[in-house]
Amino acid sequence: MTNVEVRALRNAMGNFATGITVVTAINENGEPQGMTANSFSSVSLEPPLISWCVGKDSRLFELFGKTNHFAVHILHSGQQAVSQLFAGPEENKFDQLSWCPGINGVPLLDDCASVFQCEMEHRYPGGDHTILVGRVLDFTSMPMPPLIFHGGQYQELK
Ligand SMILES: Cc1cc2nc3c(=O)[nH]c(=O)nc-3n(C[C@H](O)[C@H](O)[C@H](O)COP(=O)(O)O)c2cc1C
C-alpha cells in the first residue's frame, strides 16, 4: 500500500471508537514499564481472557514477547494525561503517578476504572503487531465514565 492508502486505512479504522488502556509489566531488571494501548478487547468469560496487540516498532515489543505477566488498566475520563504519558518517550513514567506492585511484581496504577492482572495465555502473529491473549487472574473495577478514543482524538461520553 502507498503512504496515502495507509493513512486512509488508519482513518477508516479510527471510526471505531475504543476505550484506552495502559498495559504494564516489569522488565528483566524488575523495573516497571508500561504503554498506552487501545487494541484491548474482552475475549472470553469462562475462562476469563482478554486480548490486546503490541506493535513491532514499540520499545516494549521484546518485553511483551517474553514476559509471563502483565496488567491492563482501563482509564477513566480524567486520565488523558496518563494516556499521553504512557504513549510518550519520557523516562521515569512511574515517578509521576502512584502505583503498587501486584502479582509477580507487575505495577498496578492507582485510580483506574478497571484493572486486570493477567498471565500470558497465547501469542499470535498479527502482521506488524503481535496479538497477546491474557488470562485474568484478578481484577478490580469502579463504575466511572471512560476515556474514549475516536477519530484520532480523545473524547468523553456525551
Ligand atoms: C490512543 C493510543 C492508543 C495506542 N494503542 C496502541 C496499541 O494498541 N498497541 C501498540 O503497540 N501501541 C499503541 N499505541 C502506541 C504506544 O502507546 C507507544 O508506541 C508506546 O507508548 C511505546 O512508545 P514507543 O513507540 O516510543 O516505544 C497507542 C498510542 C495511543 C496514543
Side-chain angles (χ1 to χ4, degrees):
M1 280 201 290
T2 66
N3 284 345
V4 172
E5 287 167 334
V6 168
R7 204 169 310 130
L9 179 60
R10 181 180 292 174
N11 289 343
M13 289 173 170
N15 275 336
F16 187 61
T18 68
I20 305 243
T21 72
V22 171
V23 188
T24 58
I26 48 171
N27 66 15
E28 52 202 13
N29 301 320
E31 295 160 343
Q33 305 288 321
M35 61 182 279
T36 299
N38 71 339
S39 52
F40 171 81
S41 185
S42 61
V43 174
S44 164
L45 287 175
E46 292 184 62
L49 301 174
I50 58 87
S51 72
W52 69 286
C53 304
V54 62
K56 292 187 172 166
D57 289 341
S58 168
R59 275 170 297 159
L60 298 185
F61 178 73
E62 265 188 49
L63 170 62
F64 286 109
K66 282 190 222 151
T67 190
N68 285 324
H69 290 87
F70 62 89
V72 180
H73 306 75
I74 297 182
L75 302 188
H76 64 70
S77 59
Q79 290 183 298
Q80 190 174 321
V82 176
S83 174
Q84 280 161 334
L85 175 67
F86 281 96
E90 204 160 335
E91 306 242 331
N92 308 323
K93 295 179 171 75
F94 286 85
D95 294 347
Q96 300 184 38
L97 34 71
S98 89
W99 60 277
C100 63
I103 298 170
N104 274 55
V106 172
L108 306 180
L109 309 182
D110 287 353
D111 182 41
C112 294
S114 298
V115 181
F116 302 99
Q117 298 190 65
C118 298
E119 185 171 20
M120 197 71 76
E121 183 89 359
H122 304 290
R123 290 187 184 91
Y124 300 108
D128 56 13
H129 282 61
T130 294
I131 303 161
L132 305 171
V133 176
R135 179 183 285 254
V136 178
L137 302 178
D138 202 359
F139 68 96
T140 58
S141 189
M142 292 185 286
M144 300 180 96
L147 185 60
I148 305 283
F149 199 65
H150 177 243
Q153 294 192 317
Y154 294 101
Q155 316 264 355
E156 287 179 36
L157 278 185
K158 296 192 181 81

